[in-house]
């Protein structure tokens, strides 16, 4: 913890040296991208994209799961998506899964999650179960099929469906390889993930 505290202290000093940059942030935000990714500590959206403060609106969930839309039981995830699309007017949504994902790996392997009931119940939102090779530690196939399922799930959100129909929103599926730093994007024409 101490290195993080030390960095926070030095960050405060660095920000004092660039007051105009931080003053702009206080005026509001206008990110162009909603970046939905896993809570995994190895996935750092700003590091992957080079985004500066205010450029990405992030939604991080275990396994980058987008829960089913329901107006009767609003979720934090649904509120974040709706706010990004309706209030901030993002132009793009990226769903970024990653290799070596523990959540998707647990689904592919059909792990016994009785010891972690909240995790088990959250992962139940990942239907259908991602297809993949049980013995693959990178869980590539499972994560890539899971990304496509989450993109499809996003289309059920009324605000997303409307903006897509109006041609005012684009969606992207990315796969981040934590062991190489490579980012692959889903190509709808070939239905494959290829290097960005």
């Amino acid at each position: 913890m101490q290195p993080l505290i030390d960095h926070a202290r030095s960050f405060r000093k660095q920000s004092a040296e660039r007051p105009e940059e931080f003053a702009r942030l206080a005026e509001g935000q206008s990110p162009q991208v909603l970046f939905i990714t896993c809570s995994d500590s190895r996935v750092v959206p700003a590091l992957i994209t080079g985004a500066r403060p205010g450029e990405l609106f992030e939604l991080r969930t275990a396994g980058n799961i987008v829960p089913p839309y329901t107006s009767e039981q609003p979720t934090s995830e649904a509120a974040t998506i709706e706010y990004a699309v309706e209030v901030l007017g993002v132009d793009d949504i990226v769903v970024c899964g990653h290799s070596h994902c523990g959540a998707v790996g647990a689904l592919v392997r059909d792990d016994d999650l009785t010891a972690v009931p909240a995790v088990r119940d959250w992962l139940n939102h990942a239907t259908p179960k991602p297809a993949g090779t049980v013995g693959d530690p990178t869980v590539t196939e499972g994560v890539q099929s899971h990304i496509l399922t989450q993109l499809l799930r996003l289309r059920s959100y009324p605000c997303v469906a409307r903006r897509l129909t109006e041609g005012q929103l684009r969606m992207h599926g990315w796969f981040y390889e934590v062991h190489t730093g490579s980012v692959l994007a889903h190509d709808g024409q070939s239905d494959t993930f290829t290097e960005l």
Side-chain angles (χ1 to χ4, degrees), residues 85-157:
V85 172
E86 295 288 12
V87 177
L88 298 175
V90 296
D91 299 318
D92 296 274
I93 298 175
V94 173
V95 174
C96 181
H98 66 95
S99 68
H100 304 85
C101 181
V104 174
L107 291 167
V108 168
R109 292 184 303 269
D110 203 22
D111 289 353
D112 178 6
L113 300 173
T114 54
V116 283
V119 172
R120 179 197 60 219
D121 294 347
W122 173 253
L123 294 183
N124 283 336
H125 288 305
T127 55
K129 177 183 161 186
T133 307
V134 173
D136 177 12
T138 67
V139 204
T140 297
E141 182 184 355
V143 172
Q144 290 179 353
S145 72
H146 177 67
I147 291 166
L148 299 179
T149 299
Q150 302 320 297
L151 287 169
L152 187 59
R153 175 89 41 81
L154 275 167
R155 292 176 178 274
S156 72
Y157 282 62

Side-chain angles (χ1 to χ4, degrees), residues 2-139:
Q2 192 57 48
L4 300 177
I5 293 169
D6 294 343
H7 186 273
R9 287 178 178 147
S10 68
F11 181 76
R12 181 182 65 219
K13 291 174 188 170
Q14 291 171 16
S15 60
E17 295 168 6
R18 302 184 320 242
E20 64 287 336
E21 181 180 339
F22 287 88
R24 266 194 319 272
L25 295 175
E27 295 169 9
Q29 61 175 326
S30 57
Q32 298 197 346
V33 178
L34 168 59
F35 199 91
I36 300 173
T37 195
C38 187
S39 307
D40 192 297
S41 63
R42 299 167 293 180
V43 180
V44 183
L47 184 64
I48 294 167
T49 63
R52 304 282 303 146
E55 294 180 343
L56 288 181
F57 197 68
E58 294 181 27
L59 172 57
R60 298 185 67 140
T61 69
N64 55 273
I65 292 174
V66 175
Y69 179 82
T70 173
S71 58
E72 294 81 36
Q73 288 284 94
T75 64
S76 171
E77 296 80 20
T80 300
I81 292 164
E82 187 176 79
Y83 189 82
V85 172
E86 295 288 12
V87 177
L88 298 175
V90 296
D91 299 318
D92 296 274
I93 298 175
V94 173
V95 174
C96 181
H98 66 95
S99 68
H100 304 85
C101 181
V104 174
L107 291 167
V108 168
R109 292 184 303 269
D110 203 22
D111 289 353
D112 178 6
L113 300 173
T114 54
V116 283
V119 172
R120 179 197 60 219
D121 294 347
W122 173 253
L123 294 183
N124 283 336
H125 288 305
T127 55
K129 177 183 161 186
T133 307
V134 173
D136 177 12
T138 67
V139 204

